[in-house]
Amino acid sequence: MVHPVFAHMPTTVFEEMSGLARELGAINLGQGFPDDPGPEAIRAKAADLVLNGYNQYPPMAGLPELRQAVAAHYQRTQGLDLDWRSEVTVTSGATEALAAAFLALVEPGDEVVVFQPVYDAYLPLIRRAGGVPKLVRLSPPHWRFDRAMIEAQLSDKTRLVVLNNPLNPAGTVASAEDLALLAQICVERDLIAICDEVWEQVVFDGLTHTPLMALPGMRERTVKVGSAGKMFGLTGWKVGFLMAAPALTHGLSRAHQFLTFTTPPNLQGAVAYGLDNPGQWFSAMPRDLQRSRDRLAAGLTREGFVVLPSSGTYFLNVDLPASGVMEPDRAFCLRAVKEAGVAAIPVSALYEEEPVTTIMRLCFAKRDETLDAGIERLARARELSRAAS
């Protein structure tokens, strides 16, 4: 009686590993949420608005003050000229924004180009909308694509392409060359791009995020998805943004109104306050995360693990065979959480076809003592793995 897309769908790897971590009392370096509670002023604003603000239905498209703040933020940080009235919709998290985009833009039989490893919500949402995912396989250590890889998945049924940049789980920030190539293909083939850019504020080493929407020919054919949860380290708030040209936004907002319809007004008001009054947050937050990334990378390297470069997101990847682990990533991650008390994510779980089985993803948005203990336990897990083999 259940729709086939969901009938036999397993629990997500994130819930599986986090569930094991909770059950076993393990350190959780798997699921991507920070230890830090987020900016105090923004949390205080949300608390005040719960007690003293408006707690009834806000406008379906979002509070005007938040939509204005979103447009102003992207003008300041990315040079985008967004009309807050006709081009910005507030959603209950970025995943709801993605669901609205797929439901609004995918018709049965449409083909949608997706890069894997892939955020696990994309494929079931595309299929539930009637679309057919066409998968482009990215490989470590650089996780890049070229024209031939994309064109191999194109046909006269291709309608959309989905880009996650910065890329979870790879921790990469798309180069100007790769973005230009993708934009050129979208224009040539008249494709709509759905850009999951939730990690746009979490980039390191002096890099800056370039939205695909800003490239030539892409302004009218791009749906940009943002996340206050990722911007401010408040992942449980689930406040997202959908941005697109008016003709696209009309359909996106109509899909949104029959998903969640709206988002808690107190959280919207607090996010608006944070965007209008960020202080040093958008420089201090990535600086602090870069320090945590470097601490985790240095500790793992001292233990003989080989880490891949991470230019953005909360994540650092480990090359297991190069680190002396001969088990596939999923087997090693299960051993690590069950026998050594540390949870991680096997990147193979984020492939549907031809999975890469040699990479383990770790979240470094944690306290120093958590990272240090995680390094120690991962070294113990490797010893157990070697003993078992």
Side-chain angles (χ1 to χ4, degrees):
M1 297 175 66
V2 178
H3 192 281
V5 168
F6 301 111
H8 304 293
M9 183 178 293
T11 302
T12 72
V13 68
F14 307 108
E15 182 60 25
E16 178 188 15
M17 292 299 175
S18 291
L20 285 170
R22 289 190 296 269
E23 177 185 340
L24 300 171
I27 291 171
N28 192 351
L29 299 185
Q31 195 165 10
F33 58 87
D35 281 348
D36 186 277
E40 183 176 359
I42 299 177
R43 292 184 286 119
K45 185 68 172 179
D48 176 66
L49 289 170
V50 169
L51 294 174
N52 303 306
Y54 184 76
N55 286 284
Q56 308 307 325
Y57 291 127
M60 178 271 291
L63 292 178
E65 56 262 43
L66 177 53
R67 295 160 70 200
Q68 292 167 17
V70 168
H73 168 78
Y74 285 114
Q75 175 68 60
R76 289 192 304 269
T77 61
Q78 297 178 14
L80 296 175
D81 183 17
L82 296 166
D83 181 346
W84 71 268
R85 293 178 179 83
S86 63
E87 297 187 311
V88 179
T89 305
V90 178
T91 61
S92 292
T95 301
E96 195 245 312
L98 290 163
F102 294 134
L103 289 172
L105 301 176
V106 175
E107 295 190 39
D110 284 352
E111 294 181 354
V112 182
V113 174
V114 181
F115 299 95
Q116 54 171 5
V118 58
Y119 176 50
D120 59 359
Y122 294 171
L123 303 187
L125 290 174
I126 290 168
R127 290 188 171 112
R128 190 63 184 89
V132 180
K134 305 295 288 186
L135 302 174
V136 176
R137 183 182 186 271
L138 305 182
S139 302
H142 302 299
W143 312 96
R144 295 187 66 182
F145 54 81
D146 58 31
R147 177 177 283 272
M149 293 165 65
I150 297 174
E151 289 187 340
Q153 301 302 325
L154 299 179
S155 76
D156 58 3
K157 297 180 180 179
T158 308
R159 296 290 178 266
L160 298 98
V161 60
V162 183
L163 176 69
N164 179 208
N165 179 42
L167 176 59
N168 170 23
T172 55
V173 176
S175 68
E177 178 186 2
D178 289 357
L179 290 174
L181 171 63
L182 187 60
Q184 184 180 28
I185 291 172
C186 287
V187 172
E188 290 172 355
R189 301 297 293 254
D190 193 22
L191 306 179
I192 295 173
I194 298 178
C195 294
D196 179 353
E197 300 183 351
V198 299
W199 299 102
E200 59 200 346
Q201 297 293 153
V202 191
V203 295
F204 312 127
D205 305 317
L207 297 176
T208 57
H209 173 77
T210 300
L212 191 67
M213 179 182 277
L215 271 63
M218 296 306 296
R219 183 64 174 81
E220 301 300 315
R221 63 176 66 252
T222 300
V223 176
K224 176 177 171 63
V225 175
S227 167
K230 299 300 191 298
M231 286 181 175
F232 294 113
L234 298 164
T235 60
W237 279 26
K238 302 298 290 181
V239 179
F241 319 127
L242 262 176
M243 293 148 285
L248 291 172
T249 291
H250 178 82
L252 299 172
S253 62
R254 296 315 183 266
H256 157 69
Q257 75 177 345
F258 294 122
L259 286 169
T260 62
F261 179 74
T262 190
T263 299
N266 35 72
L267 300 183
Q268 289 194 54
V271 170
Y273 172 83
L275 290 173
D276 287 338
N277 302 277
Q280 300 303 309
W281 175 259
F282 290 132
S283 57
M285 176 266 292
R287 183 181 64 240
D288 291 345
L289 285 168
Q290 180 173 323
R291 186 192 63 81
S292 295
R293 177 204 66 178
D294 293 346
R295 185 184 188 95
L296 179 60
L300 290 168
T301 301
R302 283 194 303 270
E303 293 291 344
F305 288 93
V306 174
V307 300
L308 301 184
S310 171
S311 300
T313 75
Y314 293 161
F315 308 115
L316 184 73
N317 288 299
V318 173
D319 183 326
L320 292 175
S323 303
V325 176
M326 295 301 108
E327 287 183 300
D329 57 351
R330 177 171 172 80
F332 180 73
C333 287
L334 287 171
R335 184 185 301 279
V337 69
K338 292 178 178 180
E339 300 179 25
V342 57
I345 296 297
V347 169
S348 62
L350 305 179
Y351 285 79
E352 185 171 84
E353 299 174 352
E354 300 179 82
V356 171
T357 61
T358 58
I359 305 296
M360 173 179 66
R361 192 197 80 170
L362 303 171
C363 176
F364 53 76
K366 307 294 180 182
R367 292 185 292 268
D368 287 353
E369 56 269 30
T370 302
L371 296 175
D372 294 345
I375 293 164
E376 180 181 342
R377 295 185 186 196
L378 285 167
R380 173 61 177 157
R382 183 178 56 189
E383 291 176 7
L384 295 168
S385 175
R386 286 171 170 170
S389 61

